[in-house]
Amino acid sequence: MTSKIGFIGLGRMGRPMASNLRKKGFELVVHDIDRQAVNALVALGAKAGASIADIARECRIVITMLPTNLEVEAVALGPDGIFANAAPGTILMDMSTIDPLATDRLSAEAGRHGMTVVDAPVGRLAEHADRGESLFMVGASEADFATVKPLLEAMGTAIYHCGPVGTGGRTKLVNNYVAVTLCQVNGEALALSQRFGLDITRTLQVLYGTSASNGQLRMNFPNKVLAGDTSPGFTIDLAHKDMSLVVAAAHAARVPMPVAAAVHESFSQARAAEFGRIDFSGIADVICEIAKIDKPRVPEGWKPA
């Protein structure tokens, strides 16, 4: 693909994804409020976009990877934004996790400008993005999916076309509901095991050998909170934001989700105690601090069997 690709949002996930695109030979024009992040991409051969409007005028595919609805809608809908400045036929591929109803609104507005929207939120963790091993849940027309698929293949190893526009984001909410809830459940279980005085590695081996095993406990926890590393791959703040979206979407769809509401409030409590910027696996440490229990830790170098 020889046309330029715009990439707006070079945070913890966006920066490695853009870097992988550039390393695979895609011509990028990038933008972020963090100038250091922009400079890192420029060092790889990307071009720094002077403004969002300039990127929109220069690129026929514009990717956004931003924190919330507010940023995505500001970038897309403002007078200096994508829809006001891009040519008809431009594709906006939003990879953020936002309210699916906002995606629906963006798609409708794009249509009024002769443009289209693809929603392609990201699965897996930041370290997977670093290695180009992300998973993507894509909502798009067949034609748009075929157009953006080479870009997704440059950034990840698993690509699922979930259906038309909006299905990617809705699938992501289902996924993140399970992932964040498992963090909460694992944190509570490990706190209980600590209170019981159980050996942490034997407890984990038992859990890994039964139907209680789960991806968070096996893949994320041993490399993060259980190793004493709560530096953010995916923060408690972002997990709380996603659970807010889940609860709101469930209310709109009239689906009772009492567990989601309880987990949302637990993460609210963690944020109120100023743990919002640590990794979401760190909810285990938060629970232990509240209960005044020693934090669960595995020996250095320990790996699941």
Side-chain angles (χ1 to χ4, degrees), residues 117-120 135-149 152 158-168 171:
V117 168
V118 170
D119 60 314
L135 177 151
F136 300 105
M137 297 152 266
V138 187
S141 68
E142 293 288 346
D144 283 349
F145 179 68
T147 299
V148 302
K149 188 177 180 184
L152 299 172
I159 303 162
Y160 296 97
H161 188 191
C162 299
V165 178
T167 57
T171 303

Side-chain angles (χ1 to χ4, degrees), residues 201-222 226 298 302-305:
T201 59
R202 289 181 184 173
T203 301
L204 288 170
Q205 287 167 346
V206 169
L207 294 173
Y208 293 156
T210 73
S211 61
S213 184
N214 61 76
Q216 285 295 331
L217 193 63
R218 180 176 285 275
M219 293 173 13
N220 193 28
F221 272 52
L226 294 180
V298 295
W302 183 86
K303 297 293 181 184

